[in-house]
Amino acid sequence: MLGTSPLDLVIAADVAVLEHRAANAKDLVLVAEFDGGGLICYRRKDGTMCYTLNTVEGMARKLRQLGIPVGGA
């Protein structure tokens, strides 16, 4: 599994990943919500990714900050 990204693991677990263009983020935001929290990924213009693993509370707080609906909407 060397070289496997957090996003690859989420996709392999068959968790939906939604893309968002958020007014409060300069990069494309990918959101995967699952039991106990979720993963927020920022896809930078150069193709690199920044990952944040979140608790339920942290996920909801960050999505609100970004202006993204909580709960996969």
Side-chain angles (χ1 to χ4, degrees):
M1 297 247 304
L2 187 59
T4 302
S5 74
L7 184 59
D8 293 335
L9 294 173
V10 168
I11 292 169
D14 202 27
V15 174
V17 178
L18 302 176
E19 293 186 0
H20 300 273
R21 288 274 177 207
N24 298 334
K26 64 181 178 179
D27 301 315
L28 179 67
V29 181
L30 296 105
V31 177
E33 295 183 66
F34 44 81
D35 289 342
L39 183 69
I40 299 174
C41 308
Y42 301 89
R43 181 176 291 146
R44 298 179 178 136
K45 291 185 186 349
D46 67 2
T48 60
M49 300 285 280
C50 176
Y51 304 97
T52 63
L53 185 61
N54 300 274
T55 63
V56 172
E57 297 81 12
M59 185 85 170
R61 180 178 58 250
K62 189 60 186 174
L63 291 176
R64 280 193 305 272
Q65 289 172 350
L66 291 168
I68 296 172
V70 178

Short mmCIF file of all heavy atoms in Angstrom, two decimals:
data_model
loop_
_atom_site.label_atom_id
_atom_site.label_comp_id
_atom_site.label_asym_id
_atom_site.label_seq_id
_atom_site.Cartn_x
_atom_site.Cartn_y
_atom_site.Cartn_z
N MET A 1 0.81 -1.20 0.00
CA MET A 1 0.00 0.00 0.00
C MET A 1 0.85 1.26 0.00
O MET A 1 0.34 2.33 0.17
CB MET A 1 -0.93 0.01 1.21
CG MET A 1 -1.92 -1.11 1.20
SD MET A 1 -3.57 -0.74 1.02
CE MET A 1 -4.44 0.19 1.89
N LEU A 2 2.14 1.08 -0.17
CA LEU A 2 3.02 2.23 -0.23
C LEU A 2 2.61 3.13 -1.38
O LEU A 2 2.34 2.67 -2.48
CB LEU A 2 4.46 1.77 -0.43
CG LEU A 2 5.53 2.83 -0.35
CD1 LEU A 2 5.50 3.52 1.00
CD2 LEU A 2 6.89 2.24 -0.61
N GLY A 3 2.47 4.41 -1.09
CA GLY A 3 2.06 5.36 -2.11
C GLY A 3 0.56 5.55 -2.21
O GLY A 3 0.10 6.29 -3.06
N THR A 4 -0.19 4.87 -1.38
CA THR A 4 -1.65 5.02 -1.38
C THR A 4 -2.02 6.25 -0.58
O THR A 4 -1.59 6.42 0.55
CB THR A 4 -2.32 3.77 -0.77
OG1 THR A 4 -1.93 2.63 -1.53
CG2 THR A 4 -3.83 3.90 -0.79
N SER A 5 -2.82 7.11 -1.17
CA SER A 5 -3.22 8.35 -0.50
C SER A 5 -4.46 8.12 0.36
O SER A 5 -5.19 7.15 0.16
CB SER A 5 -3.52 9.43 -1.54
OG SER A 5 -4.76 9.17 -2.17
N PRO A 6 -4.72 9.03 1.30
CA PRO A 6 -5.97 8.94 2.06
C PRO A 6 -7.20 8.92 1.16
O PRO A 6 -8.15 8.19 1.42
CB PRO A 6 -5.93 10.19 2.95
CG PRO A 6 -4.48 10.49 3.11
CD PRO A 6 -3.88 10.12 1.79
N LEU A 7 -7.18 9.68 0.09
CA LEU A 7 -8.31 9.71 -0.84
C LEU A 7 -8.48 8.36 -1.52
O LEU A 7 -9.61 7.88 -1.68
CB LEU A 7 -8.15 10.82 -1.86
CG LEU A 7 -9.31 11.04 -2.82
CD1 LEU A 7 -10.60 11.37 -2.06
CD2 LEU A 7 -8.99 12.15 -3.81
N ASP A 8 -7.38 7.71 -1.89
CA ASP A 8 -7.46 6.37 -2.49
C ASP A 8 -8.12 5.38 -1.54
O ASP A 8 -8.92 4.54 -1.96
CB ASP A 8 -6.06 5.86 -2.85
CG ASP A 8 -5.40 6.63 -3.97
OD1 ASP A 8 -6.11 7.24 -4.80
OD2 ASP A 8 -4.15 6.63 -4.01
N LEU A 9 -7.79 5.47 -0.25
CA LEU A 9 -8.39 4.57 0.74
C LEU A 9 -9.89 4.80 0.87
O LEU A 9 -10.66 3.84 0.98
CB LEU A 9 -7.71 4.76 2.10
CG LEU A 9 -6.24 4.36 2.15
CD1 LEU A 9 -5.63 4.76 3.50
CD2 LEU A 9 -6.06 2.87 1.90
N VAL A 10 -10.30 6.05 0.85
CA VAL A 10 -11.73 6.38 0.95
C VAL A 10 -12.48 5.85 -0.27
O VAL A 10 -13.54 5.24 -0.15
CB VAL A 10 -11.91 7.91 1.12
CG1 VAL A 10 -13.35 8.31 0.93
CG2 VAL A 10 -11.40 8.35 2.48
N ILE A 11 -11.91 6.05 -1.43
CA ILE A 11 -12.53 5.57 -2.67
C ILE A 11 -12.60 4.04 -2.67
O ILE A 11 -13.63 3.46 -3.03
CB ILE A 11 -11.78 6.11 -3.91
CG1 ILE A 11 -11.98 7.62 -4.00
CG2 ILE A 11 -12.25 5.40 -5.17
CD1 ILE A 11 -11.07 8.31 -5.01
N ALA A 12 -11.55 3.38 -2.22
CA ALA A 12 -11.53 1.92 -2.16
C ALA A 12 -12.58 1.38 -1.20
O ALA A 12 -13.10 0.28 -1.40
CB ALA A 12 -10.14 1.43 -1.76
N ALA A 13 -12.92 2.16 -0.18
CA ALA A 13 -13.95 1.77 0.78
C ALA A 13 -15.35 2.08 0.27
O ALA A 13 -16.33 1.92 0.99
CB ALA A 13 -13.71 2.47 2.12
N ASP A 14 -15.44 2.55 -0.97
CA ASP A 14 -16.71 2.85 -1.63
C ASP A 14 -17.48 3.97 -0.92
O ASP A 14 -18.70 3.92 -0.82
CB ASP A 14 -17.57 1.60 -1.75
CG ASP A 14 -18.60 1.72 -2.87
OD1 ASP A 14 -18.36 2.48 -3.83
OD2 ASP A 14 -19.67 1.09 -2.76
N VAL A 15 -16.75 4.97 -0.43
CA VAL A 15 -17.35 6.16 0.18
C VAL A 15 -17.47 7.22 -0.91
O VAL A 15 -16.53 7.44 -1.68
CB VAL A 15 -16.48 6.68 1.35
CG1 VAL A 15 -17.01 7.99 1.89
CG2 VAL A 15 -16.40 5.63 2.45
N ALA A 16 -18.62 7.85 -0.99
CA ALA A 16 -18.85 8.90 -2.00
C ALA A 16 -17.91 10.09 -1.73
O ALA A 16 -17.74 10.51 -0.59
CB ALA A 16 -20.29 9.36 -1.97
N VAL A 17 -17.34 10.61 -2.80
CA VAL A 17 -16.49 11.79 -2.73
C VAL A 17 -17.13 12.86 -3.60
O VAL A 17 -17.32 12.66 -4.81
CB VAL A 17 -15.05 11.49 -3.22
CG1 VAL A 17 -14.20 12.75 -3.17
CG2 VAL A 17 -14.42 10.38 -2.39
N LEU A 18 -17.50 13.98 -2.98
CA LEU A 18 -18.15 15.07 -3.71
C LEU A 18 -17.17 16.22 -3.90
O LEU A 18 -16.41 16.56 -2.99
CB LEU A 18 -19.38 15.56 -2.93
CG LEU A 18 -20.44 14.49 -2.64
CD1 LEU A 18 -21.55 15.08 -1.79
CD2 LEU A 18 -20.99 13.92 -3.93
N GLU A 19 -17.18 16.81 -5.09
CA GLU A 19 -16.31 17.95 -5.39
C GLU A 19 -17.09 19.25 -5.22
O GLU A 19 -18.26 19.33 -5.61
CB GLU A 19 -15.80 17.87 -6.82
CG GLU A 19 -14.86 16.72 -7.07
CD GLU A 19 -14.25 16.75 -8.46
OE1 GLU A 19 -14.55 17.68 -9.26
OE2 GLU A 19 -13.48 15.83 -8.77
N HIS A 20 -16.42 20.25 -4.66
CA HIS A 20 -17.04 21.55 -4.44
C HIS A 20 -16.08 22.66 -4.83
O HIS A 20 -14.89 22.58 -4.56
CB HIS A 20 -17.40 21.74 -2.96
CG HIS A 20 -18.36 20.73 -2.42
ND1 HIS A 20 -19.72 20.89 -2.51
CD2 HIS A 20 -18.16 19.55 -1.79
CE1 HIS A 20 -20.31 19.85 -1.95
NE2 HIS A 20 -19.39 19.02 -1.51
N ARG A 21 -16.63 23.68 -5.45
CA ARG A 21 -15.92 24.95 -5.64
C ARG A 21 -16.49 25.87 -4.57
O ARG A 21 -17.61 26.34 -4.67
CB ARG A 21 -16.18 25.54 -7.02
CG ARG A 21 -15.50 24.80 -8.12
CD ARG A 21 -14.09 25.30 -8.28
NE ARG A 21 -13.41 24.52 -9.30
CZ ARG A 21 -12.11 24.34 -9.33
NH1 ARG A 21 -11.36 24.90 -8.40
NH2 ARG A 21 -11.56 23.64 -10.27
N ALA A 22 -15.73 26.07 -3.51
CA ALA A 22 -16.20 26.87 -2.39
C ALA A 22 -15.66 28.29 -2.50
O ALA A 22 -14.49 28.50 -2.79
CB ALA A 22 -15.75 26.24 -1.07
N ALA A 23 -16.53 29.25 -2.25
CA ALA A 23 -16.12 30.67 -2.30
C ALA A 23 -15.03 30.96 -1.28
O ALA A 23 -14.21 31.84 -1.49
CB ALA A 23 -17.33 31.56 -2.06
N ASN A 24 -15.01 30.20 -0.19
CA ASN A 24 -14.05 30.44 0.89
C ASN A 24 -12.80 29.58 0.78
O ASN A 24 -12.05 29.46 1.74
CB ASN A 24 -14.72 30.22 2.24
CG ASN A 24 -15.86 31.18 2.48
OD1 ASN A 24 -15.89 32.27 1.92
ND2 ASN A 24 -16.82 30.78 3.28
N ALA A 25 -12.56 28.96 -0.38
CA ALA A 25 -11.37 28.14 -0.59
C ALA A 25 -10.81 28.42 -1.98
O ALA A 25 -11.56 28.48 -2.95
CB ALA A 25 -11.71 26.66 -0.46
N LYS A 26 -9.50 28.59 -2.06
CA LYS A 26 -8.90 28.88 -3.37
C LYS A 26 -8.75 27.62 -4.23
O LYS A 26 -8.61 27.71 -5.43
CB LYS A 26 -7.54 29.57 -3.19
CG LYS A 26 -6.49 28.74 -2.52
CD LYS A 26 -5.20 29.51 -2.36
CE LYS A 26 -4.18 28.66 -1.64
NZ LYS A 26 -2.90 29.32 -1.49
N ASP A 27 -8.80 26.45 -3.59
CA ASP A 27 -8.61 25.19 -4.30
C ASP A 27 -9.91 24.41 -4.39
O ASP A 27 -10.86 24.67 -3.65
CB ASP A 27 -7.57 24.33 -3.57
CG ASP A 27 -6.22 25.01 -3.43
OD1 ASP A 27 -5.76 25.59 -4.43
OD2 ASP A 27 -5.65 25.00 -2.33
N LEU A 28 -9.95 23.44 -5.30
CA LEU A 28 -11.08 22.52 -5.39
C LEU A 28 -11.13 21.72 -4.09
O LEU A 28 -10.10 21.25 -3.61
CB LEU A 28 -10.91 21.58 -6.58
CG LEU A 28 -12.00 20.55 -6.80
CD1 LEU A 28 -13.31 21.23 -7.21
CD2 LEU A 28 -11.58 19.54 -7.85
N VAL A 29 -12.32 21.57 -3.54
CA VAL A 29 -12.49 20.85 -2.27
C VAL A 29 -13.22 19.54 -2.55
O VAL A 29 -14.28 19.52 -3.17
CB VAL A 29 -13.31 21.70 -1.26
CG1 VAL A 29 -13.45 20.95 0.05
CG2 VAL A 29 -12.68 23.07 -1.05
N LEU A 30 -12.63 18.43 -2.10
CA LEU A 30 -13.25 17.11 -2.21
C LEU A 30 -13.65 16.68 -0.80
O LEU A 30 -12.84 16.78 0.12
CB LEU A 30 -12.28 16.11 -2.82
CG LEU A 30 -11.87 16.45 -4.24
CD1 LEU A 30 -10.46 16.99 -4.25
CD2 LEU A 30 -12.00 15.26 -5.13
N VAL A 31 -14.88 16.23 -0.65
CA VAL A 31 -15.43 15.91 0.66
C VAL A 31 -15.93 14.47 0.66
O VAL A 31 -16.71 14.07 -0.21
CB VAL A 31 -16.58 16.87 1.02
CG1 VAL A 31 -17.21 16.48 2.35
CG2 VAL A 31 -16.10 18.30 1.03
N ALA A 32 -15.48 13.71 1.66
CA ALA A 32 -15.96 12.34 1.88
C ALA A 32 -16.41 12.26 3.33
O ALA A 32 -15.60 12.38 4.24
CB ALA A 32 -14.86 11.33 1.59
N GLU A 33 -17.70 12.07 3.54
CA GLU A 33 -18.24 11.95 4.89
C GLU A 33 -18.51 10.48 5.19
O GLU A 33 -19.01 9.75 4.34
CB GLU A 33 -19.53 12.76 5.02
CG GLU A 33 -19.29 14.26 4.87
CD GLU A 33 -20.55 15.07 5.07
OE1 GLU A 33 -21.07 15.08 6.20
OE2 GLU A 33 -21.02 15.67 4.08
N PHE A 34 -18.14 10.05 6.40
CA PHE A 34 -18.38 8.68 6.82
C PHE A 34 -18.62 8.66 8.32
O PHE A 34 -18.48 9.68 8.99
CB PHE A 34 -17.23 7.76 6.42
CG PHE A 34 -15.85 8.31 6.68
CD1 PHE A 34 -15.28 8.25 7.94
CD2 PHE A 34 -15.12 8.89 5.65
CE1 PHE A 34 -14.01 8.75 8.19
CE2 PHE A 34 -13.85 9.40 5.88
CZ PHE A 34 -13.29 9.32 7.15
N ASP A 35 -19.02 7.50 8.84
CA ASP A 35 -19.30 7.36 10.28
C ASP A 35 -18.10 7.82 11.08
O ASP A 35 -16.97 7.38 10.83
CB ASP A 35 -19.63 5.91 10.64
CG ASP A 35 -20.97 5.46 10.12
OD1 ASP A 35 -21.80 6.33 9.79
OD2 ASP A 35 -21.19 4.24 10.05
N GLY A 36 -18.33 8.71 12.02
CA GLY A 36 -17.27 9.18 12.89
C GLY A 36 -16.52 10.40 12.39
O GLY A 36 -15.63 10.89 13.05
N GLY A 37 -16.87 10.89 11.19
CA GLY A 37 -16.19 12.09 10.68
C GLY A 37 -16.11 12.10 9.17
O GLY A 37 -17.06 11.78 8.47
N GLY A 38 -14.94 12.45 8.68
CA GLY A 38 -14.78 12.51 7.23
C GLY A 38 -13.42 13.04 6.83
O GLY A 38 -12.58 13.39 7.66
N LEU A 39 -13.23 13.10 5.53
CA LEU A 39 -11.98 13.56 4.94
C LEU A 39 -12.28 14.75 4.03
O LEU A 39 -13.21 14.69 3.21
CB LEU A 39 -11.36 12.42 4.12
CG LEU A 39 -10.01 12.69 3.47
CD1 LEU A 39 -8.92 12.79 4.53
CD2 LEU A 39 -9.68 11.58 2.49
N ILE A 40 -11.54 15.81 4.22
CA ILE A 40 -11.61 16.96 3.32
C ILE A 40 -10.27 17.04 2.62
O ILE A 40 -9.22 17.03 3.27
CB ILE A 40 -11.91 18.27 4.07
CG1 ILE A 40 -13.25 18.20 4.80
CG2 ILE A 40 -11.88 19.46 3.10
CD1 ILE A 40 -13.54 19.41 5.67
N CYS A 41 -10.31 17.09 1.30
CA CYS A 41 -9.09 17.18 0.51
C CYS A 41 -9.14 18.46 -0.32
O CYS A 41 -10.18 18.81 -0.86
CB CYS A 41 -8.97 16.01 -0.46
SG CYS A 41 -9.17 14.38 0.28
N TYR A 42 -8.01 19.11 -0.40
CA TYR A 42 -7.88 20.31 -1.23
C TYR A 42 -6.98 19.95 -2.39
O TYR A 42 -5.82 19.56 -2.19
CB TYR A 42 -7.29 21.46 -0.43
CG TYR A 42 -8.11 21.83 0.77
CD1 TYR A 42 -7.88 21.22 2.00
CD2 TYR A 42 -9.13 22.77 0.68
CE1 TYR A 42 -8.64 21.55 3.12
CE2 TYR A 42 -9.90 23.10 1.79
CZ TYR A 42 -9.64 22.49 3.00
OH TYR A 42 -10.39 22.81 4.10
N ARG A 43 -7.48 20.06 -3.63
CA ARG A 43 -6.67 19.79 -4.82
C ARG A 43 -6.11 21.12 -5.32
O ARG A 43 -6.84 21.97 -5.83
CB ARG A 43 -7.49 19.12 -5.92
CG ARG A 43 -6.63 18.82 -7.15
CD ARG A 43 -7.39 18.06 -8.21
NE ARG A 43 -7.65 16.71 -7.75
CZ ARG A 43 -8.75 16.03 -8.06
NH1 ARG A 43 -9.67 16.55 -8.82
NH2 ARG A 43 -8.91 14.79 -7.61
N ARG A 44 -4.84 21.28 -5.13
CA ARG A 44 -4.18 22.53 -5.52
C ARG A 44 -4.01 22.61 -7.02
O ARG A 44 -4.05 21.61 -7.73
CB ARG A 44 -2.83 22.61 -4.81
CG ARG A 44 -2.97 22.64 -3.30
CD ARG A 44 -1.62 22.70 -2.64
NE ARG A 44 -1.75 22.77 -1.21
CZ ARG A 44 -1.02 22.06 -0.37
NH1 ARG A 44 -0.11 21.21 -0.81
NH2 ARG A 44 -1.19 22.20 0.93
N LYS A 45 -3.77 23.82 -7.50
CA LYS A 45 -3.64 24.04 -8.94
C LYS A 45 -2.48 23.25 -9.55
O LYS A 45 -2.52 22.87 -10.71
CB LYS A 45 -3.47 25.53 -9.22
CG LYS A 45 -4.74 26.32 -8.94
CD LYS A 45 -4.58 27.76 -9.34
CE LYS A 45 -5.71 28.67 -8.98
NZ LYS A 45 -6.95 28.15 -8.53
N ASP A 46 -1.44 22.97 -8.75
CA ASP A 46 -0.29 22.21 -9.26
C ASP A 46 -0.52 20.70 -9.21
O ASP A 46 0.37 19.92 -9.54
CB ASP A 46 0.98 22.59 -8.51
CG ASP A 46 0.99 22.18 -7.04
OD1 ASP A 46 0.01 21.55 -6.57
OD2 ASP A 46 1.98 22.50 -6.35
N GLY A 47 -1.73 20.28 -8.78
CA GLY A 47 -2.08 18.86 -8.74
C GLY A 47 -1.80 18.17 -7.42
O GLY A 47 -2.24 17.04 -7.23
N THR A 48 -1.10 18.83 -6.52
CA THR A 48 -0.86 18.23 -5.21
C THR A 48 -2.13 18.29 -4.38
O THR A 48 -3.04 19.07 -4.66
CB THR A 48 0.30 18.91 -4.46
OG1 THR A 48 -0.02 20.29 -4.26
CG2 THR A 48 1.60 18.78 -5.23
N MET A 49 -2.16 17.46 -3.35
CA MET A 49 -3.34 17.39 -2.49
C MET A 49 -2.96 17.68 -1.05
O MET A 49 -1.86 17.34 -0.61
CB MET A 49 -3.95 15.98 -2.55
CG MET A 49 -4.40 15.55 -3.93
SD MET A 49 -5.91 16.30 -4.47
CE MET A 49 -7.08 15.30 -3.60
N CYS A 50 -3.87 18.30 -0.33
CA CYS A 50 -3.74 18.53 1.10
C CYS A 50 -4.94 17.85 1.75
O CYS A 50 -6.07 18.10 1.37
CB CYS A 50 -3.73 20.03 1.41
SG CYS A 50 -3.68 20.39 3.17
N TYR A 51 -4.67 16.96 2.72
CA TYR A 51 -5.72 16.15 3.33
C TYR A 51 -5.95 16.57 4.77
O TYR A 51 -5.00 16.85 5.50
CB TYR A 51 -5.32 14.67 3.33
CG TYR A 51 -5.01 14.13 1.98
CD1 TYR A 51 -3.70 14.04 1.52
CD2 TYR A 51 -6.03 13.71 1.13
CE1 TYR A 51 -3.41 13.53 0.27
CE2 TYR A 51 -5.75 13.21 -0.12
CZ TYR A 51 -4.43 13.11 -0.55
OH TYR A 51 -4.17 12.62 -1.79
N THR A 52 -7.22 16.60 5.18
CA THR A 52 -7.55 16.82 6.59
C THR A 52 -8.57 15.77 7.00
O THR A 52 -9.64 15.66 6.41
CB THR A 52 -8.12 18.23 6.85
OG1 THR A 52 -9.33 18.40 6.13
CG2 THR A 52 -7.15 19.31 6.41
N LEU A 53 -8.21 14.97 8.01
CA LEU A 53 -9.09 13.97 8.57
C LEU A 53 -9.79 14.61 9.76
O LEU A 53 -9.14 15.25 10.59
CB LEU A 53 -8.29 12.75 9.00
CG LEU A 53 -9.07 11.55 9.52
CD1 LEU A 53 -10.02 11.01 8.44
CD2 LEU A 53 -8.10 10.46 9.97
N ASN A 54 -11.11 14.47 9.83
CA ASN A 54 -11.90 15.22 10.81
C ASN A 54 -12.85 14.34 11.60
O ASN A 54 -13.38 13.36 11.08
CB ASN A 54 -12.75 16.27 10.08
CG ASN A 54 -11.91 17.25 9.30
OD1 ASN A 54 -11.44 18.22 9.84
ND2 ASN A 54 -11.69 16.97 8.02
N THR A 55 -13.10 14.75 12.84
CA THR A 55 -14.17 14.17 13.63
C THR A 55 -15.49 14.70 13.07
O THR A 55 -15.50 15.62 12.22
CB THR A 55 -14.06 14.60 15.10
OG1 THR A 55 -14.20 16.03 15.17
CG2 THR A 55 -12.74 14.17 15.72
N VAL A 56 -16.61 14.19 13.55
CA VAL A 56 -17.92 14.68 13.11
C VAL A 56 -18.02 16.18 13.36
O VAL A 56 -18.42 16.95 12.48
CB VAL A 56 -19.06 13.92 13.82
CG1 VAL A 56 -20.40 14.55 13.52
CG2 VAL A 56 -19.07 12.46 13.42
N GLU A 57 -17.66 16.59 14.58
CA GLU A 57 -17.77 18.01 14.94
C GLU A 57 -16.82 18.88 14.12
O GLU A 57 -17.19 19.95 13.63
CB GLU A 57 -17.48 18.21 16.44
CG GLU A 57 -18.46 17.53 17.35
CD GLU A 57 -18.19 16.03 17.56
OE1 GLU A 57 -17.10 15.53 17.18
OE2 GLU A 57 -19.09 15.37 18.10
N GLY A 58 -15.58 18.42 13.96
CA GLY A 58 -14.60 19.18 13.18
C GLY A 58 -14.99 19.27 11.71
O GLY A 58 -14.81 20.31 11.07
N MET A 59 -15.54 18.20 11.18
CA MET A 59 -15.99 18.17 9.79
C MET A 59 -17.11 19.19 9.57
O MET A 59 -17.06 19.99 8.64
CB MET A 59 -16.49 16.76 9.46
CG MET A 59 -16.87 16.54 8.04
SD MET A 59 -15.40 16.13 7.11
CE MET A 59 -16.14 15.63 5.59
N ALA A 60 -18.11 19.17 10.45
CA ALA A 60 -19.23 20.10 10.32
C ALA A 60 -18.75 21.54 10.43
O ALA A 60 -19.16 22.40 9.65
CB ALA A 60 -20.28 19.81 11.39
N ARG A 61 -17.85 21.81 11.37
CA ARG A 61 -17.33 23.17 11.56
C ARG A 61 -16.58 23.65 10.31
O ARG A 61 -16.80 24.74 9.81
CB ARG A 61 -16.41 23.21 12.79
CG ARG A 61 -15.83 24.58 13.07
CD ARG A 61 -14.96 24.61 14.33
NE ARG A 61 -13.85 23.66 14.25
CZ ARG A 61 -13.74 22.54 14.96
NH1 ARG A 61 -14.67 22.20 15.83
NH2 ARG A 61 -12.70 21.74 14.81
N LYS A 62 -15.71 22.79 9.76
CA LYS A 62 -14.91 23.19 8.59
C LYS A 62 -15.79 23.37 7.36
O LYS A 62 -15.60 24.31 6.58
CB LYS A 62 -13.81 22.16 8.32
CG LYS A 62 -12.83 22.61 7.29
CD LYS A 62 -12.15 23.90 7.73
CE LYS A 62 -11.26 24.46 6.66
NZ LYS A 62 -10.71 25.76 7.01
N LEU A 63 -16.76 22.48 7.16
CA LEU A 63 -17.65 22.63 6.01
C LEU A 63 -18.46 23.93 6.11
O LEU A 63 -18.65 24.61 5.10
CB LEU A 63 -18.57 21.42 5.87
CG LEU A 63 -17.88 20.11 5.48
CD1 LEU A 63 -18.88 18.96 5.46
CD2 LEU A 63 -17.16 20.23 4.15
N ARG A 64 -18.91 24.26 7.31
CA ARG A 64 -19.63 25.54 7.48
C ARG A 64 -18.71 26.72 7.14
O ARG A 64 -19.12 27.66 6.48
CB ARG A 64 -20.15 25.68 8.92
CG ARG A 64 -21.43 24.92 9.18
CD ARG A 64 -22.09 25.31 10.49
NE ARG A 64 -21.20 25.16 11.64
CZ ARG A 64 -21.04 24.04 12.34
NH1 ARG A 64 -21.74 22.96 12.03
NH2 ARG A 64 -20.22 24.00 13.37
N GLN A 65 -17.46 26.66 7.58
CA GLN A 65 -16.50 27.72 7.28
C GLN A 65 -16.29 27.87 5.77
O GLN A 65 -16.11 28.98 5.27
CB GLN A 65 -15.15 27.44 7.94
CG GLN A 65 -15.14 27.59 9.43
CD GLN A 65 -13.82 27.11 10.05
OE1 GLN A 65 -12.98 26.50 9.39
NE2 GLN A 65 -13.66 27.38 11.34
N LEU A 66 -16.31 26.74 5.08
CA LEU A 66 -16.11 26.77 3.63
C LEU A 66 -17.39 27.13 2.87
O LEU A 66 -17.34 27.38 1.67
CB LEU A 66 -15.60 25.40 3.15
CG LEU A 66 -14.19 25.03 3.58
CD1 LEU A 66 -13.93 23.56 3.30
CD2 LEU A 66 -13.17 25.92 2.88
N GLY A 67 -18.53 27.10 3.55
CA GLY A 67 -19.80 27.38 2.89
C GLY A 67 -20.34 26.18 2.12
O GLY A 67 -21.10 26.32 1.17
N ILE A 68 -19.94 24.97 2.55
CA ILE A 68 -20.38 23.72 1.91
C ILE A 68 -21.43 23.08 2.81
O ILE A 68 -21.24 22.96 4.01
CB ILE A 68 -19.17 22.78 1.72
CG1 ILE A 68 -18.15 23.39 0.76
CG2 ILE A 68 -19.63 21.40 1.22
CD1 ILE A 68 -16.85 22.65 0.65
N PRO A 69 -22.55 22.63 2.23
CA PRO A 69 -23.58 21.99 3.05
C PRO A 69 -23.05 20.75 3.76
O PRO A 69 -22.31 19.96 3.19
CB PRO A 69 -24.66 21.59 2.03
CG PRO A 69 -24.38 22.41 0.82
CD PRO A 69 -22.91 22.70 0.82
N VAL A 70 -23.44 20.59 5.01
CA VAL A 70 -23.07 19.42 5.80
C VAL A 70 -24.03 18.29 5.49
O VAL A 70 -25.22 18.53 5.30
CB VAL A 70 -23.10 19.77 7.31
CG1 VAL A 70 -22.77 18.55 8.15
CG2 VAL A 70 -22.15 20.92 7.61
N GLY A 71 -23.54 17.07 5.40
CA GLY A 71 -24.42 15.94 5.19
C GLY A 71 -24.53 15.50 3.74
O GLY A 71 -25.48 14.84 3.36
N GLY A 72 -23.55 15.87 2.92
CA GLY A 72 -23.53 15.39 1.54
C GLY A 72 -24.48 16.07 0.58
O GLY A 72 -24.65 15.64 -0.53
N ALA A 73 -25.12 17.14 1.00
CA ALA A 73 -26.08 17.83 0.11
C ALA A 73 -25.36 18.68 -0.91
O ALA A 73 -24.23 19.02 -0.77
CB ALA A 73 -27.02 18.68 0.94
#
